[in-house]
Coordinates of all heavy atoms in Angstrom, one line a residue:
M1 N 183.0 -76.1 74.2 CA 182.2 -74.9 73.8 C 182.1 -75.0 72.3 O 183.1 -75.2 71.6 CB 182.9 -73.6 74.3 CG 182.0 -72.4 73.9 SD 182.8 -70.8 74.3 CE 183.3 -71.0 76.0
Q2 N 180.9 -74.7 71.8 CA 180.7 -74.6 70.3 C 180.3 -73.2 69.9 O 179.7 -72.5 70.7 CB 179.5 -75.5 69.9 CG 179.9 -77.0 69.9 CD 178.7 -77.8 69.3 OE1 177.6 -77.6 69.7 NE2 179.0 -78.7 68.4
T3 N 180.7 -72.9 68.7 CA 180.3 -71.6 68.1 C 179.2 -71.9 67.2 O 179.2 -72.8 66.3 CB 181.5 -71.0 67.4 OG1 182.6 -70.8 68.3 CG2 181.1 -69.7 66.8
I4 N 178.1 -71.1 67.3 CA 177.0 -71.2 66.4 C 176.8 -69.9 65.6 O 176.8 -68.8 66.2 CB 175.7 -71.5 67.2 CG1 175.8 -72.8 68.0 CG2 174.5 -71.5 66.3 CD1 174.7 -73.0 69.0
D5 N 176.8 -70.0 64.3 CA 176.6 -68.8 63.5 C 175.1 -68.6 63.4 O 174.3 -69.5 63.0 CB 177.1 -69.1 62.1 CG 178.7 -69.0 62.0 OD1 179.2 -68.4 62.9 OD2 179.2 -69.7 61.2
V6 N 174.7 -67.4 63.7 CA 173.3 -67.0 63.7 C 173.2 -65.9 62.5 O 173.8 -64.9 62.6 CB 172.8 -66.3 65.0 CG1 171.4 -65.9 64.9 CG2 173.1 -67.3 66.1
P7 N 172.4 -66.2 61.5 CA 172.3 -65.3 60.4 C 171.6 -64.0 60.9 O 170.6 -64.0 61.6 CB 171.4 -66.0 59.4 CG 170.9 -67.2 60.1 CD 171.6 -67.4 61.3
Q8 N 172.2 -62.9 60.5 CA 171.7 -61.6 60.9 C 171.0 -60.8 59.7 O 170.6 -59.7 59.9 CB 172.9 -60.7 61.5 CG 173.5 -61.4 62.7 CD 172.6 -61.5 63.8 OE1 171.7 -60.6 64.1 NE2 172.7 -62.5 64.6
G9 N 171.0 -61.4 58.6 CA 170.4 -60.7 57.4 C 169.0 -60.2 57.6 O 168.7 -59.1 57.2
A10 N 168.1 -61.0 58.2 CA 166.7 -60.6 58.3 C 166.7 -59.3 59.2 O 165.9 -58.4 58.9 CB 165.9 -61.7 58.9
S11 N 167.4 -59.3 60.3 CA 167.4 -58.1 61.1 C 168.0 -56.9 60.4 O 167.4 -55.8 60.5 CB 168.3 -58.4 62.4 OG 167.8 -59.4 63.1
L12 N 169.0 -57.1 59.6 CA 169.6 -56.0 58.9 C 168.6 -55.4 57.9 O 168.4 -54.2 57.8 CB 170.8 -56.5 58.1 CG 171.4 -55.5 57.1 CD1 172.3 -54.5 57.8 CD2 172.2 -56.3 56.0
Y13 N 167.8 -56.3 57.2 CA 166.8 -55.8 56.2 C 165.7 -55.0 56.9 O 165.3 -54.0 56.4 CB 166.2 -57.0 55.5 CG 167.2 -57.8 54.7 CD1 167.0 -59.2 54.5 CD2 168.3 -57.3 54.1 CE1 167.9 -60.0 53.8 CE2 169.2 -58.0 53.4 CZ 169.0 -59.4 53.2 OH 169.9 -60.1 52.5
R14 N 165.3 -55.4 58.1 CA 164.3 -54.7 58.8 C 164.8 -53.3 59.1 O 164.0 -52.3 58.9 CB 163.9 -55.4 60.1 CG 162.8 -56.4 59.9 CD 162.2 -56.9 61.2 NE 163.2 -57.4 62.1 CZ 163.5 -58.7 62.2 NH1 162.9 -59.6 61.4 NH2 164.4 -59.1 63.0
Y15 N 166.0 -53.2 59.6 CA 166.5 -51.8 59.9 C 166.7 -51.0 58.7 O 166.5 -49.8 58.7 CB 167.8 -51.9 60.7 CG 167.6 -52.4 62.2 CD1 168.2 -53.5 62.7 CD2 166.7 -51.7 63.0 CE1 168.1 -53.9 64.0 CE2 166.5 -52.1 64.3 CZ 167.2 -53.2 64.8 OH 167.0 -53.6 66.1
V16 N 167.2 -51.6 57.6 CA 167.4 -50.8 56.4 C 166.0 -50.3 55.9 O 165.9 -49.2 55.4 CB 168.1 -51.7 55.3 CG1 168.0 -51.1 54.0 CG2 169.6 -51.9 55.7
E17 N 165.0 -51.2 55.9 CA 163.7 -50.7 55.5 C 163.2 -49.5 56.3 O 162.5 -48.7 55.7 CB 162.6 -51.9 55.6 CG 162.8 -52.9 54.5 CD 161.8 -54.1 54.8 OE1 160.9 -54.0 55.7 OE2 161.9 -55.1 54.0
R18 N 163.5 -49.5 57.6 CA 163.1 -48.4 58.4 C 164.0 -47.2 58.3 O 163.8 -46.2 59.0 CB 163.1 -48.8 59.9 CG 162.1 -49.9 60.2 CD 162.1 -50.2 61.7 NE 161.4 -51.4 61.9 CZ 161.7 -52.2 62.9 NH1 162.6 -51.9 63.8 NH2 161.0 -53.3 63.1
K19 N 165.1 -47.3 57.5 CA 166.1 -46.3 57.3 C 166.9 -46.0 58.6 O 167.4 -44.9 58.8 CB 165.5 -45.0 56.8 CG 164.6 -45.1 55.6 CD 165.4 -45.4 54.3 CE 164.4 -45.3 53.1 NZ 164.7 -46.3 52.2
D20 N 166.9 -47.0 59.4 CA 167.7 -46.9 60.7 C 169.1 -47.5 60.4 O 169.4 -48.7 60.8 CB 167.0 -47.7 61.8 CG 167.6 -47.5 63.2 OD1 168.8 -46.9 63.2 OD2 167.0 -47.8 64.2
F21 N 169.9 -46.7 59.8 CA 171.2 -47.2 59.3 C 172.2 -47.5 60.4 O 173.1 -48.3 60.3 CB 171.8 -46.3 58.2 CG 170.9 -46.2 57.0 CD1 170.2 -45.1 56.7 CD2 170.7 -47.3 56.2 CE1 169.4 -45.0 55.6 CE2 169.9 -47.3 55.1 CZ 169.2 -46.1 54.8
E22 N 172.1 -46.7 61.5 CA 173.0 -46.9 62.7 C 172.8 -48.3 63.2 O 173.8 -49.1 63.4 CB 172.8 -45.9 63.7 CG 173.2 -44.5 63.4 CD 174.7 -44.3 63.3 OE1 175.4 -45.0 64.0 OE2 175.1 -43.5 62.5
R23 N 171.6 -48.7 63.5 CA 171.3 -50.0 64.0 C 171.6 -51.1 63.0 O 172.1 -52.2 63.3 CB 169.9 -50.1 64.5 CG 169.6 -49.4 65.8 CD 168.3 -49.7 66.4 NE 168.2 -49.0 67.7 CZ 167.1 -48.6 68.1 NH1 166.0 -48.8 67.5 NH2 167.1 -47.9 69.3
A24 N 171.3 -50.8 61.7 CA 171.6 -51.8 60.6 C 173.1 -52.1 60.6 O 173.5 -53.2 60.4 CB 171.1 -51.3 59.3
Y25 N 173.9 -51.0 60.8 CA 175.4 -51.2 60.8 C 175.8 -52.1 62.0 O 176.6 -52.9 61.8 CB 176.1 -49.8 60.8 CG 177.6 -50.0 60.8 CD1 178.3 -50.3 59.6 CD2 178.3 -49.8 62.0 CE1 179.6 -50.4 59.6 CE2 179.6 -50.0 62.0 CZ 180.3 -50.3 60.8 OH 181.7 -50.4 60.8
R26 N 175.2 -51.8 63.1 CA 175.6 -52.6 64.3 C 175.2 -54.0 64.1 O 176.0 -54.9 64.5 CB 174.9 -52.0 65.5 CG 175.6 -50.8 66.0 CD 175.1 -50.4 67.4 NE 174.2 -49.2 67.2 CZ 173.2 -48.9 67.9 NH1 172.9 -49.6 69.0 NH2 172.5 -47.9 67.6
V27 N 174.1 -54.3 63.5 CA 173.7 -55.7 63.3 C 174.7 -56.3 62.2 O 175.1 -57.5 62.4 CB 172.2 -55.8 62.8 CG1 171.9 -57.2 62.2 CG2 171.3 -55.5 63.9
A28 N 175.0 -55.6 61.2 CA 175.9 -56.1 60.2 C 177.3 -56.5 60.8 O 177.9 -57.4 60.4 CB 176.1 -55.1 59.1
C29 N 177.7 -55.7 61.8 CA 179.0 -56.0 62.4 C 179.0 -57.3 63.1 O 180.0 -57.9 63.4 CB 179.4 -54.9 63.4 SG 179.9 -53.4 62.5
L30 N 177.8 -57.8 63.5 CA 177.7 -59.1 64.1 C 177.9 -60.3 63.1 O 178.1 -61.4 63.6 CB 176.3 -59.3 64.8 CG 176.0 -58.3 65.9 CD1 174.6 -58.5 66.4 CD2 177.0 -58.5 67.1
G31 N 177.7 -60.0 61.8 CA 178.0 -61.0 60.8 C 176.9 -61.1 59.8 O 175.8 -61.6 60.0
V32 N 177.2 -60.6 58.6 CA 176.3 -60.7 57.5 C 177.2 -61.0 56.2 O 178.4 -60.8 56.3 CB 175.5 -59.4 57.2 CG1 174.5 -59.2 58.4 CG2 176.3 -58.2 57.0
T33 N 176.5 -61.3 55.2 CA 177.3 -61.6 53.9 C 177.8 -60.3 53.3 O 177.3 -59.2 53.6 CB 176.4 -62.4 52.9 OG1 175.3 -61.5 52.5 CG2 175.8 -63.6 53.5
E34 N 178.7 -60.5 52.3 CA 179.2 -59.3 51.6 C 178.1 -58.6 50.8 O 178.0 -57.4 50.7 CB 180.3 -59.8 50.6 CG 180.9 -58.6 49.9 CD 182.1 -59.0 49.0 OE1 182.8 -59.9 49.4 OE2 182.3 -58.3 48.0
S35 N 177.1 -59.4 50.3 CA 176.0 -58.8 49.5 C 175.1 -58.0 50.5 O 174.6 -56.9 50.1 CB 175.2 -59.8 48.8 OG 174.6 -60.7 49.7
D36 N 175.0 -58.4 51.7 CA 174.3 -57.6 52.7 C 175.0 -56.3 53.1 O 174.4 -55.3 53.2 CB 174.0 -58.4 54.0 CG 173.1 -59.6 53.8 OD1 172.2 -59.5 52.9 OD2 173.1 -60.5 54.7
W37 N 176.3 -56.4 53.2 CA 177.1 -55.2 53.4 C 176.9 -54.2 52.2 O 176.8 -53.0 52.4 CB 178.6 -55.5 53.5 CG 179.0 -55.9 54.9 CD1 179.4 -57.1 55.3 CD2 179.1 -55.0 56.1 NE1 179.7 -57.1 56.7 CE2 179.5 -55.8 57.1 CE3 178.8 -53.7 56.3 CZ2 179.7 -55.3 58.4 CZ3 179.0 -53.2 57.5 CH2 179.4 -54.0 58.6
R38 N 176.9 -54.7 51.0 CA 176.8 -53.9 49.8 C 175.4 -53.3 49.8 O 175.2 -52.1 49.5 CB 177.0 -54.7 48.6 CG 177.2 -53.9 47.3 CD 177.8 -54.7 46.2 NE 179.1 -55.2 46.5 CZ 180.2 -54.5 46.3 NH1 180.2 -53.3 46.0 NH2 181.4 -55.1 46.6
L39 N 174.3 -54.0 50.2 CA 173.0 -53.5 50.3 C 172.9 -52.4 51.3 O 172.4 -51.3 51.0 CB 172.0 -54.6 50.7 CG 170.6 -54.1 51.0 CD1 169.7 -54.1 49.8 CD2 170.0 -54.9 52.1
L40 N 173.5 -52.6 52.4 CA 173.5 -51.5 53.4 C 174.2 -50.3 52.9 O 173.8 -49.1 53.1 CB 174.2 -52.0 54.7 CG 174.5 -51.0 55.8 CD1 173.2 -50.3 56.3 CD2 175.2 -51.6 57.0
A41 N 175.4 -50.5 52.3 CA 176.2 -49.4 51.7 C 175.4 -48.6 50.7 O 175.3 -47.3 50.8 CB 177.4 -49.9 51.1
M42 N 174.7 -49.2 49.8 CA 174.0 -48.6 48.7 C 172.8 -47.8 49.3 O 172.5 -46.7 48.9 CB 173.6 -49.5 47.6 CG 174.7 -50.1 46.8 SD 175.7 -48.8 46.0 CE 174.5 -48.1 44.9
E43 N 172.0 -48.5 50.2 CA 170.9 -47.8 50.7 C 171.2 -46.6 51.5 O 170.6 -45.6 51.5 CB 170.1 -48.8 51.6 CG 169.4 -50.0 50.8 CD 168.3 -49.5 49.9 OE1 167.6 -48.5 50.3 OE2 168.1 -50.1 48.9
A44 N 172.3 -46.7 52.3 CA 172.8 -45.6 53.1 C 173.2 -44.4 52.2 O 173.0 -43.3 52.4 CB 173.9 -46.0 54.0
L45 N 173.9 -44.8 51.1 CA 174.4 -43.8 50.2 C 173.2 -43.1 49.5 O 173.2 -41.9 49.4 CB 175.3 -44.4 49.1 CG 175.9 -43.5 48.1 CD1 176.7 -42.4 48.8 CD2 176.8 -44.3 47.1
E46 N 172.2 -43.8 49.1 CA 171.0 -43.2 48.5 C 170.3 -42.3 49.4 O 169.7 -41.3 49.0 CB 170.0 -44.3 48.0 CG 170.5 -45.0 46.7 CD 169.5 -45.9 46.1 OE1 168.3 -46.0 46.6 OE2 169.8 -46.6 45.2
E47 N 170.3 -42.6 50.7 CA 169.7 -41.7 51.7 C 170.7 -40.6 52.2 O 170.4 -39.9 53.1 CB 169.2 -42.5 52.9 CG 168.0 -43.4 52.5 CD 166.8 -42.7 52.0 OE1 166.5 -41.6 52.6 OE2 166.2 -43.1 51.0
M48 N 171.9 -40.6 51.6 CA 172.9 -39.6 52.0 C 173.4 -39.8 53.4 O 173.8 -38.8 54.1 CB 172.5 -38.2 51.7 CG 172.3 -37.9 50.2 SD 173.9 -38.0 49.5 CE 173.4 -38.2 47.8
N49 N 173.3 -41.0 53.9 CA 173.9 -41.3 55.2 C 175.4 -41.7 54.9 O 175.7 -42.8 54.9 CB 173.2 -42.4 56.0 CG 173.6 -42.5 57.4 OD1 174.8 -42.4 57.7 ND2 172.7 -42.8 58.3
L50 N 176.2 -40.7 54.7 CA 177.6 -40.9 54.2 C 178.5 -41.6 55.2 O 179.3 -42.5 54.8 CB 178.2 -39.6 53.8 CG 177.4 -38.9 52.7 CD1 178.0 -37.5 52.3 CD2 177.2 -39.7 51.5
P51 N 178.4 -41.4 56.5 CA 179.3 -42.1 57.4 C 179.1 -43.6 57.4 O 180.0 -44.4 57.3 CB 179.0 -41.5 58.8 CG 178.4 -40.2 58.5 CD 177.7 -40.3 57.2
I52 N 177.8 -44.0 57.4 CA 177.5 -45.5 57.3 C 177.8 -46.0 55.9 O 178.4 -47.1 55.8 CB 176.0 -45.7 57.6 CG1 175.7 -45.3 59.1 CG2 175.6 -47.2 57.4 CD1 176.4 -46.1 60.2
A53 N 177.5 -45.3 54.9 CA 177.9 -45.7 53.5 C 179.4 -46.0 53.4 O 179.8 -47.0 52.9 CB 177.4 -44.7 52.5
R54 N 180.2 -45.0 53.9 CA 181.6 -45.2 53.8 C 182.1 -46.4 54.6 O 182.8 -47.2 54.1 CB 182.3 -44.0 54.4 CG 183.8 -44.2 54.5 CD 184.6 -43.1 55.2 NE 184.8 -42.1 54.2 CZ 184.1 -40.9 54.3 NH1 183.3 -40.6 55.3 NH2 184.3 -40.0 53.3
K55 N 181.6 -46.6 55.8 CA 182.0 -47.8 56.6 C 181.7 -49.1 55.9 O 182.4 -50.0 55.9 CB 181.3 -47.8 58.0 CG 181.8 -46.7 58.9 CD 181.1 -46.7 60.2 CE 181.3 -45.5 61.1 NZ 180.4 -45.6 62.3
A56 N 180.5 -49.1 55.3 CA 180.0 -50.4 54.7 C 180.8 -50.6 53.4 O 181.2 -51.7 53.1 CB 178.5 -50.3 54.4
F57 N 181.1 -49.6 52.6 CA 181.9 -49.7 51.4 C 183.4 -50.1 51.8 O 184.0 -50.9 51.0 CB 181.9 -48.5 50.6 CG 180.7 -48.3 49.8 CD1 179.9 -47.1 49.9 CD2 180.2 -49.3 48.9 CE1 178.8 -46.9 49.1 CE2 179.0 -49.1 48.2 CZ 178.3 -47.9 48.3
I58 N 183.8 -49.6 52.9 CA 185.2 -50.1 53.3 C 185.2 -51.6 53.6 O 186.1 -52.3 53.3 CB 185.6 -49.2 54.5 CG1 186.0 -47.8 54.1 CG2 186.8 -49.9 55.2 CD1 186.2 -46.8 55.2
R59 N 184.1 -52.1 54.2 CA 184.0 -53.5 54.6 C 184.1 -54.4 53.3 O 184.6 -55.5 53.4 CB 182.7 -53.8 55.3 CG 182.7 -53.2 56.7 CD 183.7 -54.0 57.6 NE 183.0 -55.1 58.3 CZ 183.1 -55.3 59.6 NH1 183.7 -54.5 60.4 NH2 182.5 -56.3 60.1
V60 N 183.5 -53.9 52.2 CA 183.5 -54.7 51.0 C 184.7 -54.2 50.0 O 184.8 -54.7 48.9 CB 182.2 -54.6 50.2 CG1 181.1 -55.3 51.0 CG2 181.8 -53.2 49.8
R61 N 185.5 -53.3 50.5 CA 186.6 -52.8 49.8 C 186.3 -52.3 48.4 O 186.9 -52.6 47.4 CB 187.7 -53.9 49.7 CG 188.3 -54.3 51.0 CD 189.2 -55.5 50.8 NE 189.8 -55.8 52.1 CZ 189.3 -56.8 52.9 NH1 188.2 -57.4 52.6 NH2 189.9 -57.0 54.1
D62 N 185.3 -51.5 48.3 CA 184.8 -50.9 47.0 C 185.3 -49.5 46.9 O 184.6 -48.5 47.3 CB 183.3 -51.0 46.9 CG 182.8 -50.7 45.5 OD1 183.5 -50.0 44.7 OD2 181.7 -51.2 45.1
M63 N 186.5 -49.3 46.4 CA 187.2 -48.0 46.3 C 186.4 -47.0 45.4 O 186.4 -45.8 45.7 CB 188.6 -48.1 45.8 CG 189.6 -48.7 46.8 SD 189.6 -47.8 48.4 CE 190.1 -46.2 47.9
R64 N 185.7 -47.5 44.4 CA 185.0 -46.6 43.5 C 183.9 -45.9 44.3 O 183.8 -44.6 44.2 CB 184.4 -47.4 42.4 CG 183.6 -46.6 41.3 CD 183.1 -47.4 40.2 NE 182.2 -48.4 40.8 CZ 181.3 -49.1 40.1 NH1 181.2 -48.9 38.9 NH2 180.5 -49.9 40.7
Y65 N 183.2 -46.6 45.1 CA 182.1 -45.9 45.9 C 182.7 -45.1 47.1 O 182.1 -44.1 47.5 CB 181.1 -46.9 46.3 CG 180.1 -47.2 45.3 CD1 180.1 -48.4 44.6 CD2 179.1 -46.3 44.9 CE1 179.2 -48.7 43.6 CE2 178.2 -46.5 43.9 CZ 178.2 -47.7 43.3 OH 177.3 -48.0 42.3
I66 N 183.8 -45.6 47.6 CA 184.5 -44.8 48.7 C 184.9 -43.4 48.1 O 184.7 -42.4 48.8 CB 185.7 -45.5 49.3 CG1 185.2 -46.8 50.0 CG2 186.4 -44.6 50.2 CD1 186.3 -47.8 50.4
D67 N 185.4 -43.4 46.9 CA 185.8 -42.2 46.3 C 184.6 -41.3 46.0 O 184.6 -40.1 46.2 CB 186.5 -42.4 45.0 CG 187.9 -43.0 45.2 OD1 188.5 -42.9 46.3 OD2 188.5 -43.6 44.2
L68 N 183.4 -41.9 45.6 CA 182.2 -41.2 45.4 C 181.7 -40.5 46.7 O 181.3 -39.4 46.7 CB 181.1 -42.1 44.8 CG 179.7 -41.4 44.6 CD1 179.9 -40.3 43.6 CD2 178.8 -42.5 44.1
V69 N 181.8 -41.3 47.8 CA 181.4 -40.7 49.1 C 182.3 -39.5 49.4 O 181.8 -38.5 49.9 CB 181.4 -41.8 50.2 CG1 181.3 -41.2 51.6 CG2 180.4 -42.9 50.0
N70 N 183.6 -39.7 49.2 CA 184.5 -38.6 49.5 C 184.1 -37.3 48.6 O 184.2 -36.2 49.1 CB 185.9 -39.0 49.2 CG 186.4 -40.0 50.3 OD1 185.9 -40.1 51.4 ND2 187.4 -40.8 49.9
A71 N 183.8 -37.6 47.3 CA 183.5 -36.5 46.4 C 182.2 -35.8 46.9 O 182.1 -34.6 46.8 CB 183.3 -37.0 45.0
I72 N 181.2 -36.6 47.3 CA 180.0 -36.0 47.8 C 180.2 -35.1 49.0 O 179.7 -34.0 49.1 CB 178.9 -37.1 48.1 CG1 178.5 -37.8 46.8 CG2 177.7 -36.6 48.8 CD1 177.7 -39.1 47.0
E73 N 181.0 -35.6 50.0 CA 181.3 -34.9 51.2 C 182.0 -33.6 50.8 O 181.7 -32.5 51.4 CB 182.1 -35.7 52.1 CG 181.3 -36.7 52.9 CD 182.1 -37.5 53.9 OE1 183.3 -37.7 53.7 OE2 181.5 -38.0 54.8
A74 N 183.0 -33.6 49.9 CA 183.7 -32.4 49.5 C 182.7 -31.4 48.8 O 182.8 -30.2 49.1 CB 184.8 -32.8 48.5
G75 N 181.8 -31.9 48.0 CA 180.8 -31.1 47.4 C 179.9 -30.4 48.4 O 179.5 -29.3 48.2
Q76 N 179.5 -31.2 49.4 CA 178.6 -30.6 50.4 C 179.3 -29.5 51.2 O 178.7 -28.5 51.5 CB 178.2 -31.7 51.4 CG 177.1 -32.6 50.8 CD 176.7 -33.7 51.7 OE1 177.4 -34.1 52.6 NE2 175.5 -34.3 51.5
K77 N 180.6 -29.7 51.4 CA 181.4 -28.7 52.2 C 181.5 -27.5 51.3 O 181.6 -26.4 51.8 CB 182.7 -29.3 52.6 CG 182.7 -30.2 53.7 CD 184.0 -30.8 54.0 CE 183.9 -31.9 55.1 NZ 185.2 -32.5 55.4
A78 N 181.5 -27.7 50.0 CA 181.7 -26.5 49.1 C 180.3 -25.8 48.8 O 180.2 -24.9 48.1 CB 182.3 -27.0 47.7
G79 N 179.2 -26.4 49.4 CA 177.9 -25.8 49.3 C 177.1 -26.3 48.1 O 176.1 -25.6 47.8
Q80 N 177.5 -27.3 47.5 CA 176.7 -27.9 46.4 C 175.4 -28.6 46.9 O 175.5 -29.1 48.0 CB 177.5 -28.8 45.5 CG 178.6 -28.2 44.8 CD 179.4 -29.2 43.9 OE1 179.4 -30.3 44.2 NE2 180.1 -28.6 42.9
H81 N 174.4 -28.5 46.1 CA 173.1 -29.1 46.6 C 173.2 -30.6 46.5 O 173.7 -31.2 45.5 CB 172.0 -28.6 45.7 CG 170.6 -28.8 46.3 ND1 169.9 -29.9 46.1 CD2 169.9 -27.9 47.0 CE1 168.8 -29.8 46.8 NE2 168.7 -28.6 47.3
T82 N 172.5 -31.3 47.4 CA 172.6 -32.8 47.4 C 171.9 -33.5 46.3 O 172.2 -34.6 46.0 CB 172.1 -33.4 48.8 OG1 170.7 -32.9 48.9 CG2 172.9 -32.9 49.9
D83 N 171.0 -32.8 45.6 CA 170.3 -33.4 44.5 C 171.3 -33.7 43.4 O 171.1 -34.7 42.6 CB 169.2 -32.5 44.0 CG 168.0 -32.5 44.9 OD1 167.9 -33.5 45.8 OD2 167.1 -31.6 44.8
I84 N 172.3 -32.9 43.2 CA 173.3 -33.2 42.2 C 174.0 -34.6 42.5 O 174.2 -35.3 41.6 CB 174.4 -32.1 42.2 CG1 173.7 -30.8 41.8 CG2 175.6 -32.5 41.3 CD1 174.6 -29.6 42.0
F85 N 174.2 -34.8 43.7 CA 174.9 -36.1 44.1 C 173.9 -37.3 44.0 O 174.4 -38.4 43.7 CB 175.5 -36.0 45.5 CG 176.5 -34.9 45.6 CD1 176.2 -33.8 46.4 CD2 177.7 -34.9 44.8 CE1 177.1 -32.7 46.4 CE2 178.5 -33.8 44.9 CZ 178.3 -32.8 45.7
R86 N 172.7 -37.1 44.3 CA 171.7 -38.2 44.2 C 171.6 -38.7 42.8 O 171.5 -39.9 42.7 CB 170.3 -37.7 44.7 CG 170.2 -37.5 46.2 CD 168.8 -37.1 46.6 NE 168.7 -36.6 47.9 CZ 168.7 -37.3 49.0 NH1 168.7 -38.6 48.9 NH2 168.6 -36.8 50.2
A87 N 171.8 -37.9 41.8 CA 171.8 -38.4 40.5 C 173.0 -39.3 40.2 O 172.9 -40.3 39.4 CB 171.8 -37.2 39.5
Q88 N 174.1 -39.1 40.8 CA 175.3 -39.9 40.6 C 175.1 -41.2 41.3 O 175.7 -42.2 40.9 CB 176.5 -39.2 41.2 CG 176.9 -38.0 40.4 CD 178.2 -37.3 41.0 OE1 178.8 -37.9 41.9 NE2 178.5 -36.1 40.5
V89 N 174.3 -41.3 42.4 CA 174.2 -42.5 43.2 C 173.1 -43.4 42.7 O 173.3 -44.6 42.9 CB 173.8 -42.0 44.7 CG1 173.4 -43.2 45.5 CG2 174.9 -41.2 45.3
R90 N 172.1 -43.0 42.0 CA 171.0 -43.8 41.5 C 171.5 -45.0 40.8 O 172.4 -45.0 39.9 CB 170.1 -43.0 40.6 CG 169.4 -41.9 41.2 CD 168.3 -42.4 42.1 NE 167.7 -41.3 42.7 CZ 167.4 -41.2 44.0 NH1 167.6 -42.2 44.8 NH2 166.8 -40.1 44.5
R91 N 171.0 -46.2 41.2 CA 171.3 -47.4 40.6 C 170.5 -47.6 39.3 O 169.3 -47.2 39.2 CB 170.9 -48.6 41.5 CG 171.8 -48.7 42.7 CD 171.4 -49.9 43.5 NE 170.9 -49.4 44.7 CZ 170.4 -50.2 45.7 NH1 170.3 -51.5 45.5 NH2 169.9 -49.6 46.8
P92 N 171.1 -48.2 38.3 CA 170.3 -48.4 37.1 C 169.2 -49.4 37.3 O 169.3 -50.3 38.1 CB 171.3 -49.0 36.1 CG 172.4 -49.5 36.9 CD 172.4 -48.7 38.2
S93 N 168.1 -49.2 36.7 CA 166.9 -50.1 36.8 C 167.3 -51.5 36.1 O 168.0 -51.5 35.2 CB 165.7 -49.5 36.3 OG 165.8 -49.5 34.9
P94 N 166.7 -52.6 36.6 CA 167.0 -53.9 36.0 C 166.6 -53.9 34.5 O 167.2 -54.6 33.7 CB 166.1 -54.8 36.8 CG 165.8 -54.1 38.1 CD 165.9 -52.7 37.8
I95 N 165.6 -53.1 34.1 CA 165.2 -53.1 32.7 C 166.3 -52.5 31.9 O 166.5 -53.0 30.8 CB 163.9 -52.3 32.6 CG1 162.7 -53.0 33.4 CG2 163.5 -52.1 31.1 CD1 161.5 -52.2 33.4
S96 N 166.9 -51.5 32.3 CA 168.0 -50.8 31.5 C 169.2 -51.7 31.4 O 170.0 -51.5 30.5 CB 168.3 -49.5 32.1 OG 168.9 -49.6 33.3
E97 N 169.4 -52.7 32.3 CA 170.5 -53.5 32.3 C 170.4 -54.7 31.3 O 171.3 -55.3 30.9 CB 170.8 -54.1 33.6 CG 171.2 -53.1 34.7 CD 171.4 -53.7 36.0 OE1 171.2 -54.9 36.2 OE2 171.7 -52.9 37.0
Q98 N 169.1 -54.9 30.8 CA 168.9 -56.0 29.9 C 169.3 -55.6 28.5 O 169.2 -54.4 28.1 CB 167.4 -56.4 29.9 CG 167.0 -57.0 31.2 CD 165.5 -57.2 31.2 OE1 164.8 -56.9 30.3 NE2 165.0 -57.8 32.3
S99 N 169.8 -56.5 27.7 CA 170.2 -56.2 26.4 C 168.9 -56.1 25.5 O 167.9 -56.8 25.8 CB 171.1 -57.2 25.8 OG 170.5 -58.5 25.9
P100 N 168.9 -55.3 24.5 CA 167.7 -55.1 23.6 C 167.5 -56.4 22.9 O 168.4 -57.2 22.6 CB 168.1 -54.0 22.6 CG 169.6 -53.8 22.8 CD 170.0 -54.4 24.1
P101 N 166.2 -56.7 22.6 CA 165.8 -58.0 21.9 C 166.4 -58.0 20.5 O 166.8 -57.2 19.8 CB 164.3 -58.0 21.9 CG 163.9 -56.6 22.3 CD 165.0 -55.9 22.8

């Protein structure tokens, strides 16, 4: 018997584009790269799908973002508006990451 690795990245991307994070997570569990896990985690976090974001950040062992997810959940329980948290989640644009000429 042979084991064949079947890349699942393309399926993951399709589900993430559709914002179907539950299915994207199930596909990721079948086997994707760490960068694919990170993509799923960040996209789920931006859409405030906190359970999927937490699971994906746990898979890549990113404590900084796990703590952020916990803080967002605590804030939501305290009645804070989600727009406050969305500002904390936004990724910097590639232009702002470049050094000035």
